[in-house]
Amino acid sequence: MTHSVDELAAVQDQLRAAQEVITALQRRVTRDAQRRDPTSLPAERAIASLENTVEQRTRELARSEAHYRALFDHSPNLAFIIDDLGIIVSANATARARLEGELVESPFIELFAETARDAIEQLLLDAKGDANELEMVGGHVVDVNIAAVPGFGHTQVILRDVSARVELGRELQHARRLAAIGHLAAGIAHEINNPLAVLRLGLSELPTLDADARAELMDDLASHADRIAEVV
């Protein structure tokens, strides 16, 4: 899209130069006509040729502008033209459809949540750059690309909605945390089950032992109980 804007600016510069040449030649024709100098005829032919060129360039410019407008309006991304004060000059059809309220003539920065406004302000100040995963008012998360529009003193801003990607990333992180908790729980269960099995076996043997053997077994069972306590 920036390339199309460069082409438009170049064509407009050519048209301005051609108009200046035509004006100069028309003055010469006027002087020649006043003097009734026949040498004015070549100048008239030159003017006619330039007028044809200007007409052709004007048609080309109109086609280029229409092409640029089609690209701008039908982009799947939100696109804006911002002036040097940070005010929205133009918003494409995608932006108008997805965002609420009147966009044109409103401050661009107000589309963003407070946490993202410093980054947007710096990008607008630099009139170029990128920023990823900035939150807009309303909860959308976007990647931002800003570039100067040559010859117009404006800035072109493209917002790519990455809300689905960000949400997927959050869900993946949550799933990883749950998996880690599951592994930890499994490890703890394993560390508890081993001494717990010893406790169960020892308790089942207690009634069959004499006093001395019972005391020795109780000491052993107490050590396994302490191990369980340490794990928990």
Side-chain angles (χ1 to χ4, degrees), residues 50-130:
L50 277 173
E51 286 177 341
N52 289 335
T53 300
V54 168
E55 184 179 353
Q56 179 181 355
R57 290 294 187 178
T58 300
R59 288 195 298 268
E60 291 175 359
L61 178 60
R63 286 195 296 269
S64 296
E65 287 177 341
H67 179 64
Y68 169 76
R69 174 54 63 179
L71 290 175
F72 182 78
D73 268 338
H74 294 90
S75 169
N77 299 317
L78 287 70
F80 303 85
I81 301 297
I82 313 296
D83 69 13
D84 56 355
L85 297 177
I87 303 300
I88 298 173
V89 175
S90 179
N92 73 345
T94 304
R96 296 194 302 271
R98 295 188 186 180
L99 302 179
E100 297 180 356
E102 183 61 37
L103 298 176
V104 176
E105 299 184 358
S106 63
F108 178 71
I109 198 170
E110 291 184 359
L111 297 178
F112 289 84
E114 290 290 342
T115 54
R117 292 189 179 185
D118 287 345
I120 290 297
E121 186 174 2
Q122 187 60 52
L123 287 173
L124 291 177
L125 185 63
D126 296 339
K128 64 179 180 179
D130 301 277

Side-chain angles (χ1 to χ4, degrees), residues 19-31:
Q19 290 286 7
E20 290 174 0
V21 172
I22 289 175
T23 301
L25 289 173
Q26 285 175 332
R27 290 184 184 136
R28 179 180 173 185
V29 168
T30 301
R31 289 195 302 270

